[in-house]
Amino acid sequence: MPSRRHPVQALALAGPNPPNVYLAIADTLYCVSNTSSKVVATWKAPAPPLQGKQPQKKPVANDTVKADGLSTGPSAADTSVTDSAADSPSSLPATVVGKRKRSQSNASAPQPSIPPAEGVDAKPAAPGSKSSKKNKKSGNEGGGAGSSALKKQPLNYIGHLLFIPSKNVLAVTTLEDKTLRLLNPDTLEVVKEWPLHKRPSAISLMDDGYTILVGDKFGDVYSYKPADEEAEAQGKLLLGHVSLLTTLTSSSSNNGTSERKFVITADRDEHIRVTNYPLTHVIHGFCLAHTAFVSRLLVTADNLLVSGGGDDWLGVWNWKDGELLQQVDVRGVVEELFTGEEMKELVGKMKEYHPQRRRMREDDAMQEEKEDDDETISLAVNEIVEVNVPGRERGKEIVVTLEGVPVLLRYAYGATGKLEYAGSVRTPGPVISLTVHNSTVYLGCDSESGGLISRVDLADPGASLDDFLSGAGFEGPEVGEENAGVVIERLYSVEGFRKGFGGLGDDD
Amino acid sequence: MSSSPAPNPTKRQKRIDYRNAVHQDALPQKRYYRQRAHANPFSDHRLSYPLSPAEMDWSDYFPAYFSKKRKLDDTTDDSVESEQPPADSNNGTTLDRKKVEVADIGCGFGGLLISLAPTFPDTLILGMEIRTQVTAYVQDRINALRTQSLSRKGGDQEEVPGGYQNIGVIRGNAMKFLPNFFEKHQLSKMFFCFPDPHFKARKHKARIISPTLLSEYAYILRPGGIIYTITDVEDLHLWMAKHLDEHPMFERLPEEEQEEDVCVKIMRTDTEEGKKVARNKGSKWVACFRKIEDPI
């Protein structure tokens, strides 16, 4: 297939009832009216600043390669800065060389660039001429000219969407320029922006209703306050893990006399930490039992913590005491839903999402005759949400999705108060993004069939999916075959947290 | 890529031969355990660590103080407290009654541990070190000292208080996994002796004292517990003192109190790095901080 649909990687709802739907596809955000199913506003993330690690040689004939890698985008307002910015190393403007430099707020402003001189790009400049810069890569530069010529500026992917009702703004993070922006939900104009310290990996709203918490790949959590009266130019460092921060949430507890607030964070090293807020230098406790990364946390309406990650189960916690109340089976459910050829196909497909992991497996298999566990599905929770379903015990359901697995798993409280598996909804493809409004779940799937966004009302006994955008004629941009790998890397990132497969942090 | 390739096969072979040989109670020789002085604290390594402090089996490290944990199929409600702690015939104390109270983070070749052992014979002291070779050295050193101490019993030589049964060493990454080993308020002292300075600004997050990590140390330290730091790098000293000063959970020990503290003396003179700095006539910078009461 020459090209494929780019799935929606982030979803949010905001506005009147029924709310408008905000969907992020690659670097573009669309606002879709819930009544007309029409796109009413779009916003495209500015091209990211050039990174210090970019190939410093002028890529041959790069001008013809579109920097954003997507063939058709409805809004092509912003032009890419890569096309002519980097010609010869000596002419690189100082502002784009530093690793930590970021673009100005108006990032579409053209970078100062010197027109390429003839012949500069004909052959790699002698490494010795780049006197002022450290150039560890000089070896690669000469040899790998062919591959580096094709290297493109990465798209400024949108990472997270978070609607803040109390301020009527939509918080958006972008991964390449590492920026948190607040957008007007109607016009999608940027109202405010903060540069982030590192690439954001998690975002959450403090239960005061307006403080935004952003966790990053270095394990730190910063808070940002959108209120004008407390507008701060910089985020405030609240806490840090020495690990990739995978997810965070917040909660409070009331002992009758006073209410205390807490930030709950999780990392790649199996930890769930409960920290006091605003006195974040006082750690309240840890919830320890997971044997693999923790990738999702949910505080339920009953103030229980549900955790999921690379384990075969979900944890249900009394988070205040660090007490594991229940381990809810996931593997058994998945292995019952997918059997035989279907499971085989699923496992095969999931291996494609993690080429590096696959390589390591092959290495392992060669070195030691390891038993090939290829048949066993690797589980990685990528979403846990609570849904209002009137018919259920406590009127709630917990819905869980797993990376690469085309199903919504429904869990409900049994008579004993324990969470129990309560059915599933098959989806057209692996669920990439998901959001909830009352009893309705909106989801973006990685699939050529079905809607770009599907919708299912879990209060409806039939609970079948419908195509939310049906008839709107909106399909989003397409991904060319040559970029499929890049897109997959972005969309299927959770399994990469697992240890021992040559992924993150594996260097000994 | 491999964990510690010896530069040439003969050296490696010598190491293997040395390790395989039986040394009885002879102290190990450092030259068979050398390892590069830096380790990346952000990488996974191949560490083993307990799921939680309750799951930790300390008997491998302090056999005189802990009984072996039962390995149960169902670990969720595994607890040793239902068992009557067996009496230890060796020193007349009962097992499983003590907890580790002192941690030497980045204990290196173990000089501090070995000096602290007889100074606090009834306190369990754990060294944590991220480098495998160095950890192996300290373990062999402790084993040898324990054996020596036992053979002295009843002899004419003076007995070492505690018999080195109260010190242990573990390979681990303290920046990531301290809460897996220690409960809230478990420790009374933490030592940070001559830590890796990580000079580059972009490496500062790798420093063992950082504003965010201090919150974790404050969680593990009991109120009144003390953090001891010493370094021969003035910049690092200023950094550590600054961040401890600024952290709301710590207050600096008055100069007087600091100088009277026996631990400070030991830290200055008995750590391996401390001796090296003294040989080179370098300066040593000390800063000690007390953890205050938890505000909530």
Side-chain angles (χ1 to χ4, degrees):
Chain A
M1 115 185 69
S3 63
R4 65 200 284 270
R5 185 153 77 183
H6 191 303
V8 172
Q9 85 255 18
L11 266 171
L13 302 169
N17 202 358
N20 290 334
V21 180
Y22 295 82
L23 48 126
I25 301 178
D27 63 346
T28 311
L29 176 66
Y30 304 88
C31 172
V32 179
S33 156
N34 206 317
T35 43
S36 70
S37 293
K38 292 270 188 287
V39 174
V40 291
T42 65
W43 175 77
K44 190 176 160 82
L50 285 175
Q51 301 262 312
K53 281 181 185 166
Q54 283 292 305
Q56 296 176 344
K57 191 175 71 71
K58 163 81 175 168
V60 180
N62 191 25
D63 292 357
T64 58
V65 184
K66 276 210 84 178
D68 60 14
L70 297 178
S71 51
T72 54
S75 78
D78 293 287
T79 52
S80 120
V81 290
T82 46
D83 288 0
S84 60
D87 39 329
S88 81
S90 56
S91 72
L92 264 181
T95 52
V96 298
V97 176
K99 193 169 180 237
R100 244 168 287 278
K101 292 284 190 236
R102 55 185 71 252
S103 60
Q104 275 71 49
S105 61
N106 188 2
S108 56
Q111 301 274 2
S113 68
I114 297 161
E118 280 92 337
V120 170
D121 55 341
K123 54 174 173 279
S129 68
K130 307 169 180 82
S131 53
S132 65
K133 277 188 289 283
K134 271 194 269 178
N135 197 347
K136 287 184 183 169
K137 288 192 159 182
S138 55
N140 297 345
E141 234 179 301
S147 61
S148 70
L150 289 172
K151 201 158 187 176
K152 293 177 289 278
Q153 180 76 339
L155 265 191
N156 195 8
Y157 256 75
I158 291 171
H160 312 89
L161 301 177
L162 176 72
F163 180 60
I164 302 161
S166 68
K167 304 286 168 191
N168 193 36
V169 287
L170 187 69
V172 181
T173 65
T174 42
L175 302 181
E176 288 302 328
D177 67 357
K178 299 169 196 142
T179 304
L180 169 67
R181 292 179 178 84
L182 299 181
L183 271 57
N184 177 318
D186 301 317
T187 62
L188 294 186
E189 281 168 342
V190 176
V191 190
K192 187 161 178 54
E193 71 177 60
W194 291 275
L196 302 172
H197 297 255
K198 299 285 174 191
R199 181 172 289 188
S201 56
I203 189 168
S204 182
L205 190 61
M206 198 64 216
D207 74 353
D208 60 15
Y210 66 93
T211 304
I212 306 164
L213 308 176
V214 178
D216 67 34
K217 295 237 162 181
F218 259 50
D220 291 329
V221 176
Y222 290 83
S223 69
Y224 301 85
K225 292 182 193 287
D228 285 334
E229 60 270 24
E230 326 177 47
E232 290 160 28
Q234 291 282 312
K236 187 177 163 217
L237 178 62
L238 297 186
L239 63 106
H241 294 223
V242 181
S243 180
L244 191 152
L245 200 113
T246 49
T247 179
L248 73 153
T249 183
S250 67
S251 185
S252 55
S253 83
N254 200 322
N255 63 4
T257 52
S258 64
E259 189 182 58
R260 285 169 59 184
K261 291 187 190 304
F262 299 89
V263 180
I264 308 178
T265 46
D267 68 28
R268 211 187 135 244
D269 292 300
E270 307 98 30
H271 299 119
I272 300 170
R273 185 204 282 186
V274 181
T275 309
N276 283 285
Y277 183 92
L279 298 181
T280 49
H281 52 267
V282 188
I283 296 174
H284 177 76
F286 289 82
C287 298
L288 302 174
H290 276 283
T291 65
F293 62 86
V294 180
S295 49
R296 276 290 163 228
L297 295 175
L298 167 79
V299 176
T300 67
D302 294 334
N303 213 359
L304 293 174
L305 180 72
V306 182
S307 62
D311 280 310
D312 293 343
W313 44 270
L314 306 170
V316 181
W317 302 83
N318 166 4
W319 57 267
K320 264 211 89 176
D321 300 329
E323 180 193 0
L324 182 66
L325 302 173
Q326 196 194 341
Q327 286 177 312
V328 187
D329 176 50
V330 177
R331 174 169 294 279
V333 170
V334 172
E335 288 181 348
E336 207 156 286
L337 286 170
F338 299 89
T339 52
E341 281 305 304
E342 199 184 6
M343 177 61 108
K344 228 176 184 171
E345 197 185 318
L346 192 61
V347 172
K349 237 181 179 173
M350 284 169 71
K351 272 188 275 177
E352 299 299 314
Y353 303 145
H354 297 280
Q356 192 175 20
R357 196 191 141 124
R358 196 181 57 215
R359 261 203 308 283
M360 289 296 281
R361 273 172 185 246
E362 282 162 7
D363 288 354
D364 274 1
M366 265 161 47
Q367 278 169 16
E368 49 200 272
E369 286 150 47
K370 226 174 167 182
E371 189 190 327
D372 202 7
D373 61 343
D374 275 357
E375 300 301 305
T376 317
I377 188 167
S378 193
L379 302 179
V381 171
N382 69 356
E383 202 60 84
I384 305 175
V385 291
E386 192 168 37
V387 186
N388 291 325
V389 182
R392 295 288 193 190
E393 187 82 21
R394 306 187 199 182
K396 304 281 179 193
E397 254 183 48
I398 306 292
V399 169
V400 178
T401 60
L402 302 162
E403 187 166 272
V405 184
V407 71
L408 298 181
L409 301 178
R410 304 170 68 178
Y411 289 87
Y413 295 100
T416 57
K418 298 258 182 197
L419 271 184
E420 292 164 7
Y421 175 63
S424 64
V425 180
R426 288 292 185 110
T427 57
V431 182
I432 305 293
S433 54
L434 184 155
T435 192
V436 178
H437 180 66
N438 293 330
S439 61
T440 304
V441 179
Y442 292 77
L443 47 126
C445 295
D446 183 7
S447 161
E448 289 302 307
S449 61
L452 193 63
I453 299 178
S454 305
R455 186 168 58 170
V456 56
D457 185 354
L458 295 182
D460 174 9
S464 60
L465 286 174
D466 71 349
D467 181 355
F468 168 62
L469 293 169
S470 62
F474 175 68
E475 278 295 311
E478 299 223 307
V479 187
E481 199 171 12
E482 72 281 9
N483 292 304
V486 180
V487 173
I488 278 174
E489 207 175 296
R490 277 274 185 254
L491 301 180
Y492 297 91
S493 55
V494 184
E495 179 62 31
F497 294 152
R498 202 178 298 276
K499 291 179 185 174
F501 291 101
L504 297 148
D506 207 50
D507 82 349
D508 79 349
Chain B
M1 288 302 271
S2 68
S3 55
S4 58
N8 60 63
T10 50
K11 190 170 172 186
R12 177 178 220 142
Q13 195 53 47
K14 274 182 193 166
R15 273 190 185 196
I16 293 167
D17 293 345
Y18 176 81
R19 300 282 183 86
N20 289 339
V22 182
H23 298 288
Q24 299 287 359
D25 54 352
L27 291 174
Q29 291 179 280
K30 264 190 208 166
R31 62 189 166 115
Y32 296 111
Y33 301 86
R34 295 278 177 208
Q35 192 174 353
R36 189 173 168 269
H38 311 278
N40 180 356
F42 303 119
S43 67
D44 291 340
H45 301 286
R46 282 178 184 110
L47 299 170
S48 63
Y49 47 87
L51 275 183
S52 69
E55 305 266 327
M56 180 64 191
D57 186 346
W58 290 106
S59 66
D60 292 340
Y61 306 95
F62 302 97
Y65 288 91
F66 292 92
S67 60
K68 268 251 171 287
K69 257 199 192 302
R70 290 169 304 151
K71 289 271 181 268
L72 289 188
D73 292 330
D74 183 6
T75 52
T76 47
D77 56 355
D78 175 22
S79 69
V80 262
E81 61 207 7
S82 56
E83 270 187 14
Q84 198 71 349
D88 177 20
S89 51
N90 281 339
N91 54 12
T93 58
T94 43
L95 297 177
D96 302 321
R97 283 292 163 88
K98 274 189 187 298
K99 286 179 176 175
V100 173
E101 275 185 52
V102 175
D104 180 6
I105 308 300
C107 67
F109 287 94
L112 182 79
L113 284 178
I114 282 146
S115 280
L116 289 176
T119 314
F120 302 98
D122 299 319
T123 305
L124 300 190
I125 305 164
L126 183 75
M128 288 186 107
E129 173 57 49
I130 198 167
R131 294 166 291 167
T132 34
Q133 300 291 323
V134 179
T135 315
Y137 170 83
V138 179
Q139 188 61 62
D140 290 351
R141 194 172 171 186
I142 293 172
N143 291 344
L145 287 168
R146 283 177 181 168
T147 318
Q148 283 179 1
S149 178
L150 278 179
S151 63
R152 272 183 207 170
K153 253 191 177 169
D156 42 2
Q157 279 174 295
E158 205 182 325
E159 228 179 283
V160 180
Y164 297 102
Q165 295 292 341
N166 60 327
I167 54 172
V169 68
I170 202 162
R171 190 206 172 203
N173 182 342
M175 293 172 72
K176 279 175 183 271
F177 297 114
L178 278 184
N180 293 61
F181 290 94
F182 304 120
E183 298 161 359
K184 186 174 194 167
H185 297 178
Q186 182 170 339
L187 299 183
S188 59
K189 295 180 200 299
M190 292 179 85
F191 289 89
F192 298 90
C193 301
F194 301 97
D196 193 334
H198 291 290
F199 288 108
K200 290 178 189 164
R202 58 181 291 261
K203 293 270 189 189
H204 284 178
K205 173 100 185 174
R207 285 181 168 174
I208 194 81
I209 299 286
S210 72
T212 54
L213 267 174
L214 282 174
S215 302
E216 214 159 89
Y217 304 152
Y219 170 79
I220 284 157
L221 275 173
R222 65 188 58 158
I226 297 174
I227 281 187
Y228 296 85
T229 72
I230 184 168
T231 174
D232 57 330
V233 179
E234 189 178 9
D235 277 354
L236 179 64
H237 164 71
L238 294 173
W239 160 282
M240 293 195 292
K242 170 178 182 278
H243 287 295
L244 277 154
D245 255 330
E246 286 172 0
H247 198 283
M249 299 301 286
F250 293 99
E251 59 183 21
R252 192 155 188 171
L253 239 59
E255 186 83 17
E256 225 171 80
E257 195 179 335
Q258 176 181 304
E259 293 312 310
E260 275 171 17
D261 194 319
V262 62
C263 294
V264 173
K265 291 191 184 97
I266 293 175
M267 190 164 73
R268 277 216 174 92
T269 55
D270 291 0
T271 54
E272 316 285 319
E273 280 296 314
K275 287 175 192 165
K276 197 162 95 189
V277 175
R279 277 200 303 277
N280 301 335
K281 304 208 164 43
S283 314
K284 287 177 242 182
W285 312 86
V286 173
C288 303
F289 287 79
R290 179 179 285 119
K291 192 209 153 182
I292 62 162
E293 289 286 335
D294 282 322
I296 23 179

